[in-house]
């Protein structure tokens, strides 16, 4: 029998994860210094009251306000990543993704040094549309009616949903480039890619929850009201 220690995955303490989170934010602070970029992110923070927004004069203050509004936490860096991506700061996107890959794995576990068992998350390469056969083999629920509804209604919000799905920026960029000027197909590709990665976990309940985390509550309500076929 092999060494049983190979299967052990350690659970980091909240203090360790918080320290890693603060270190990541400090890297952002050190690199996000241009006033115009700070102003652009402030503009995207619709949830910050105007009076408070006018008092923000530094990156530190801005991050504090985003965190205060529950849009940034140890377990949720999607809004910040979306903001820095919108201002074309790919270097900051990489800093956040490095943090996510280490500390935001499923169930908040830390990666082990040995190669994972066959049940690990599938390797992500340049995405192509998953074939129906691949999806069917995962034995997940049939979500094509829900996907078709979102394909017609997500619009530009598909990127926010894709990041909430934890699709990488490489995945998102590839979908955008492969289906230029076709928001409906970009939306569908992101949904199919999420389904192919998640298998059985890609269900209607999780999809609705992701929409609500993106503040797309109207679409989430519509989806919940749809009859399951």
């Amino acid at each position: 029998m092999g060494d049983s220690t190979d299967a052990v995955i350690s659970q980091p303490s909240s203090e360790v994860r918080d320290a890693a989170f603060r270190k990541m934010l400090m890297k952002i602070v050190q690199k996000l210094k241009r006033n115009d970029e700070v102003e652009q992110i402030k503009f995207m923070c619709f949830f910050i009251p105007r009076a408070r927004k006018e008092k923000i004069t530094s990156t530190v203050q801005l991050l504090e306000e985003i965190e205060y509004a529950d849009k940034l936490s140890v377990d949720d860096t999607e809004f910040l990543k979306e903001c820095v991506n919108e201002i074309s700061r790919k270097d900051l996107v990489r800093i956040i993704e490095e943090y996510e890959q280490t500390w935001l794995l499923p169930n908040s576990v830390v990666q082990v040094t040995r190669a994972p068992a066959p049940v690990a998350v599938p390797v992500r390469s340049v995405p192509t549309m998953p074939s129906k056969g691949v999806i069917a083999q995962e034995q997940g629920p049939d979500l094509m009616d829900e996907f078709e509804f979102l394909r017609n209604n997500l619009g530009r919000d598909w990127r926010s949903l894709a990041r909430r799905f934890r699709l990488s920026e490489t995945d998102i960029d590839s979908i955008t480039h492969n289906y230029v000027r076709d928001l409906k197909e970009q939306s569908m590709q992101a949904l199919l890619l999420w389904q192919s990665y998640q298998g059985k976990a890609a269900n209607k309940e999780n999809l609705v929850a992701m929409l609500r985390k993106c503040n797309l509550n109207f679409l989430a309500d519509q989806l919940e009201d749809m009859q399951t076929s």
Side-chain angles (χ1 to χ4, degrees):
M1 184 177 294
D3 187 352
S4 60
T5 60
D6 290 351
V8 176
I9 301 179
S10 60
Q11 181 79 24
S13 67
S14 58
E15 291 82 4
V16 171
R17 295 181 69 234
D18 187 66
F21 175 67
R22 297 296 163 189
K23 186 178 294 185
M24 181 271 293
L25 292 184
M26 185 54 64
K27 291 180 181 178
I28 299 292
V29 169
Q30 291 171 347
K31 292 180 176 292
L32 188 60
K33 296 180 178 180
R34 284 173 44 185
N35 289 336
D36 61 321
E37 292 180 331
V38 173
E39 289 298 318
Q40 289 177 62
I41 294 179
K42 282 169 60 177
F43 179 76
M44 287 183 272
C45 296
F46 60 90
F47 46 82
I48 301 177
R50 179 176 297 180
R52 295 179 66 91
K53 193 178 291 187
E54 290 174 351
K55 296 178 181 180
I56 297 174
T57 59
S58 70
T59 304
V60 171
Q61 289 176 311
L62 178 57
L63 294 179
E64 287 176 344
E65 287 291 342
I66 296 174
E67 192 171 2
Y68 179 79
D70 291 330
K71 293 290 187 179
L72 177 64
S73 69
V74 172
D75 295 309
D76 186 358
T77 54
E78 289 303 312
F79 178 76
L80 179 60
K81 184 166 68 174
E82 182 176 354
C83 286
V84 296
N85 185 66
E86 286 296 326
I87 63 173
S88 301
R89 289 297 301 271
K90 298 295 186 182
D91 57 326
L92 302 185
V93 171
R94 285 192 293 272
I95 288 173
I96 296 172
E97 287 192 333
E98 286 173 4
Y99 166 81
E100 291 176 339
Q101 290 164 7
T102 304
W103 301 101
L104 296 188
L105 293 172
N107 299 321
S108 299
V109 296
V110 178
Q111 290 177 307
V112 292
T113 54
R114 289 181 176 271
V119 294
V121 177
V123 175
R124 296 180 180 183
S125 56
V126 176
T128 55
M129 179 173 177
S131 66
K132 293 183 179 179
V134 172
I135 296 174
Q137 290 170 11
E138 294 287 351
Q139 298 299 311
D142 182 0
L143 296 175
M144 290 312 297
D145 288 344
E146 288 83 355
F147 284 2
E148 189 63 30
F149 167 76
L150 291 176
R151 175 181 182 272
N152 292 320
N153 292 279
L154 267 176
R156 296 185 183 280
D157 287 325
W158 77 266
R159 292 179 179 84
S160 297
L161 185 61
R163 294 188 179 98
R164 184 62 63 175
F165 286 159
R166 301 211 184 283
L167 300 188
S168 70
E169 290 302 318
T170 299
D171 287 338
I172 294 170
D173 288 345
S174 296
I175 290 171
T176 302
H177 294 155
N178 289 340
Y179 301 91
V180 178
R181 294 187 295 278
D182 190 345
L183 286 174
K184 290 185 177 182
E185 193 57 35
Q186 290 169 3
S187 299
M188 180 62 81
Q189 289 295 316
L191 291 162
L192 290 172
L193 195 58
W194 168 69
Q195 186 180 52
S196 72
Y197 286 159
Q198 294 298 313
K200 293 180 180 179
N203 55 46
K204 183 174 179 178
E205 182 182 38
N206 286 337
L207 183 55
V208 168
M210 293 292 183
L211 288 167
R212 295 201 185 282
K213 287 183 177 181
C214 293
N215 294 318
L216 298 173
N217 292 314
F218 177 72
L219 294 181
D221 291 342
Q222 297 263 72
L223 215 60
E224 284 186 323
D225 291 340
M226 290 178 62
Q227 294 293 327
T228 302
S229 56

